[in-house]
Amino acid sequence: MPWSNQSGGGGGPWGQRGGPGGRGPWGSGPQGGGTPPDLEDILRRSQDRLKDLMPGGGSFGGKGLVALALGILVVWLLTGFYTVRPNEVGINLIFGAYTGTSGEGLRYNLPAPIGSVVKPDVTAQQRIEVGYRSAPGQGRGRDVLEESLMLTADENIVDLDFDTVWQVNPARAQDFVFNLQNPQGTIKSVAESAMREVIGRRNIQAILTTEQSSITQEVRQIMQEALDSYGAGVLVNVVQLQAAQPPEPVRQAFFDVNAAQQDAVRVQNEAETFASRVVPEARGDAARTVQQAEAYREQSIAEATGQAARFNQVWEQYRHAPDVIRERIFLETMERVIGGTDKIIIDQNGQGSGVVPFLPLNELQRPAASRNANQTPAQTGATR
């Protein structure tokens, strides 16, 4: 043996064989001269020591077995306690069958293998990209044309990139756990289908300009209805358009057409503005001319009516005294004809010089400046 002592002190590393110090590592000396320890003896001694630790005088029967079984049962039952965090909902299962949900805090369910608990996160906002894939530090990243190209109602193609933000419905978390095998793939397929349905009912011009907000609202509503019908237990929070534009090969041509259409609209608006200013002015001038003509007509009719009435009155008086009326008409006519002219009165009877003295009262009453203006240069020099 390797540990034999040639000087006679021998016995191996645990002392002399057979002597007081000749004990093996398990409390007894080696059996026979240098043979290895008996494994069965070692197991038997270990079993005896375990029996000494058990109640009932080292016997596994009776109360000892019951106590051992109860202890194991209690430890197993205590493993059924679990904690639900504020952002989670506990879904309790017994033999794989759903039995109910539990809120936040310390909860209990039968431990494995009889029971189990699934705790999905019901507050995390999940984002799904359709039509593109973002990359860290690169913005929108690369386009996925098989998802983004969609047909419009006027048979044009539009390139759409959009996001869908969703979360687990806290009230139906069990539906999300049991009914969706691939949540990301299912929600993405529903989002793409809903967007194609909405785009297929609109013209491309409205999609690119005025109806983007209504498109996202309609897509979100269709997605929510579809996922509810599947029993998905998902809430669709936001659908947001990232980009809406014509496909790359025809993008520049489309922008040129759009610019031409905008120019046409601008020119039409300018023409309508000019018409809205000129037409009222022309209508006002026409109305003013018509009113002036009507006023002139009324005035002419009134004057003619007055003259006719005056003539009738004169005629009535003339029938009663024709001589007097004839003389009066003559005098009034002469007064009207020669009333404003210079006059020289001559006596036709031939008495005297034939010129009747005349006092020009009207000339004396007029201002001196107007008399001087009426005098000729020769008269002015004679006066000086």
Side-chain angles (χ1 to χ4, degrees), residues 56-312:
S59 174
F60 279 98
K63 294 182 180 180
L65 292 176
V66 172
L68 178 61
L70 289 176
I72 295 174
L73 180 62
V74 169
V75 173
W76 176 73
L77 291 175
L78 289 177
T79 60
F81 286 99
Y82 65 93
T83 302
V84 180
R85 295 183 176 86
N87 62 326
E88 298 175 338
V89 171
I91 299 175
N92 301 321
L93 307 176
I94 301 296
F95 294 112
Y98 169 71
T99 59
T101 59
S102 56
E104 63 177 296
L106 183 63
R107 304 295 175 180
Y108 182 81
N109 190 35
L110 289 177
I114 297 176
S116 61
V117 179
V118 180
K119 296 183 287 184
D121 192 339
V122 296
T123 61
Q125 301 291 316
Q126 307 290 334
R127 187 169 68 95
I128 296 177
E129 301 169 347
V130 182
Y132 75 103
R133 299 294 182 270
S134 62
Q138 297 181 6
R140 288 179 52 244
R142 63 183 181 88
D143 287 333
V144 183
L145 297 180
E146 58 269 21
E147 296 176 0
S148 63
L149 296 180
M150 302 182 184
L151 185 65
T152 64
D154 53 355
E155 299 182 354
N156 286 302
I157 295 178
V158 64
D159 188 353
L160 280 177
D161 299 338
F162 66 98
D163 292 338
T164 298
V165 179
W166 63 276
Q167 70 178 83
V168 179
N169 187 353
R172 304 298 300 176
Q174 67 275 12
D175 292 342
F176 175 78
V177 172
F178 298 125
N179 296 341
L180 288 185
Q181 183 178 5
N182 181 13
Q184 290 284 340
T186 301
I187 297 173
K188 179 180 178 181
S189 299
V190 171
E192 184 178 348
S193 175
M195 182 62 75
R196 291 186 183 277
E197 177 183 350
V198 173
I199 293 301
R201 294 198 294 260
R202 286 174 168 82
N203 295 333
I204 188 171
Q205 192 64 36
I207 295 171
L208 298 179
T209 54
T210 60
E211 297 190 9
Q212 294 188 4
S213 177
S214 62
I215 287 173
T216 56
Q217 293 296 328
E218 189 173 352
V219 170
R220 191 194 70 81
Q221 181 179 357
I222 293 175
M223 287 183 61
Q224 190 65 65
E225 293 175 355
L227 292 171
D228 290 345
S229 67
Y230 297 161
V234 169
L235 292 177
V236 181
N237 295 331
V238 177
V239 175
Q240 183 177 7
L241 283 176
Q242 296 295 334
Q245 54 191 355
E248 181 64 29
V250 298
R251 188 169 299 167
Q252 187 59 45
F254 183 87
F255 289 155
D256 292 340
V257 172
N258 190 27
Q261 292 176 348
Q262 292 179 357
D263 291 339
V265 172
R266 178 179 56 79
V267 172
Q268 182 178 0
N269 292 336
E270 291 176 355
E272 291 177 353
T273 302
F274 178 76
S276 64
R277 184 180 69 251
V278 172
V279 171
E281 291 178 357
R283 289 177 179 172
D285 293 340
R288 182 175 65 254
T289 303
V290 171
Q291 292 176 356
Q292 290 177 352
E294 291 178 351
Y296 177 75
R297 181 190 63 184
E298 296 296 333
Q299 179 182 358
S300 299
I301 293 175
E303 291 179 354
T305 302
Q307 291 177 2
R310 180 174 177 279
F311 180 80
N312 291 332

Side-chain angles (χ1 to χ4, degrees), residues 47-48 50-61:
Q47 186 176 5
D48 291 340
L50 181 61
K51 289 180 180 180
D52 293 338
L53 297 176
M54 298 298 299
S59 174
F60 279 98

Side-chain angles (χ1 to χ4, degrees), residues 5 8-23 29-30:
N5 192 340
W14 293 283
Q16 299 290 336
R17 282 180 286 182
R23 301 177 62 85

Side-chain angles (χ1 to χ4, degrees), residues 331-383:
L331 294 177
E332 290 178 354
T333 302
M334 295 302 295
E335 179 181 2
R336 186 170 61 252
V337 172
I338 64 175
T341 60
D342 295 334
K343 296 175 286 296
I344 298 176
I345 301 175
I346 299 175
D347 185 8
Q348 296 180 353
N349 294 328
Q351 297 178 359
S353 61
V355 178
V356 179
F358 173 70
L359 181 62
L361 297 177
N362 294 334
E363 293 294 333
L364 294 175
Q365 292 176 354
R366 281 194 293 178
S370 83
R371 290 200 305 270
N372 294 332
N374 293 332
Q375 290 178 354
T376 63
Q379 293 174 342
T380 304
T383 304

